[in-house]
Amino acid sequence: MQALEIYQTELGDHHPFTATSLDSLASLYQSQGRYGEAEPLYVKALEIRQTELGERHPDTATSLNNLAGLYRLQGRYGEAEPLYVQALEIYQTELGERHPYTATSLFNLAALYYQTQRHQHALAYIQQALDIYIPALGPEHPTTQAAQKWLVAIQQAIDQPT
């Protein structure tokens, strides 16, 4: 909270560092289950980044991912999906198909598709994410291992439909 106040005072309400601080505070609130307090902060950070950095900036994509993640946690899948898709498209275009941030967007979409029972889509996305994570981060990296666990869960859901 102090960092946010300093950035707002010293740099202004619309500076990208202010957006980063808003995102951080929103993430804290989200981790505490304070979703109603997190959402306006994520929205404000997204607005700042869109205005100050542009619609195609990777930091804007990060804000899209963060807001989508909150929506996914709340079960607001219809609101989360287009934000995740938009973030993925930005990362692919601006950072490349093989960038770890692109993989993170693929991973996020895989989780969303898994949760909404679209297991074949989830499988395709998690496999793409792993194809990036393994060479970029290595097989022992915690993110790679988390994606591998999701892959197993998704495959089990496909093999044993309810």
Side-chain angles (χ1 to χ4, degrees):
M1 188 66 133
Q2 281 182 307
L4 175 60
E5 290 171 0
I6 292 168
Y7 286 136
Q8 287 174 320
T9 301
E10 298 297 321
L11 302 174
D13 288 336
H14 300 287
H15 194 278
F17 287 174
T18 301
T20 299
S21 192
L22 286 164
D23 260 347
S24 296
L25 184 57
S27 178
L28 172 65
Y29 288 162
Q30 178 178 317
S31 71
Q32 295 172 338
R34 297 163 63 182
Y35 302 143
E37 293 170 83
E39 184 175 359
L41 300 179
Y42 279 141
V43 169
K44 180 66 176 169
L46 175 59
E47 290 170 356
I48 293 168
R49 287 176 168 159
Q50 286 171 324
T51 302
E52 299 301 318
L53 302 174
E55 297 282 336
R56 310 291 311 154
H57 195 280
D59 288 351
T60 301
T62 297
S63 281
L64 290 164
N65 259 329
N66 291 344
L67 183 57
L70 176 68
Y71 290 160
R72 184 172 59 86
L73 281 174
Q74 293 176 301
R76 295 163 63 182
Y77 304 122
E79 293 171 82
E81 185 175 4
L83 300 179
Y84 276 148
V85 169
Q86 186 179 356
L88 174 61
E89 197 275 327
I90 294 168
Y91 286 141
Q92 287 172 324
T93 303
E94 302 301 321
L95 300 178
E97 297 283 335
R98 308 296 302 166
H99 195 281
Y101 287 4
T102 301
T104 297
S105 274
L106 291 163
F107 190 160
N108 290 339
L109 275 164
L112 176 84
Y113 292 144
Y114 175 79
Q115 290 176 301
T116 57
Q117 307 299 311
R118 294 180 278 175
H119 297 129
Q120 292 297 333
H121 289 307
L123 181 62
Y125 281 90
I126 201 67
Q127 287 174 328
Q128 288 177 55
L130 279 165
D131 287 346
I132 299 167
Y133 283 145
I134 291 170
L137 305 177
E140 301 304 317
H141 191 278
T143 302
T144 304
Q145 291 184 347
Q148 288 170 329
K149 288 178 184 177
W150 274 88
L151 174 63
V152 170
I154 294 164
Q155 287 174 327
Q156 287 175 342
I158 290 170
D159 292 342
Q160 301 169 8
T162 54

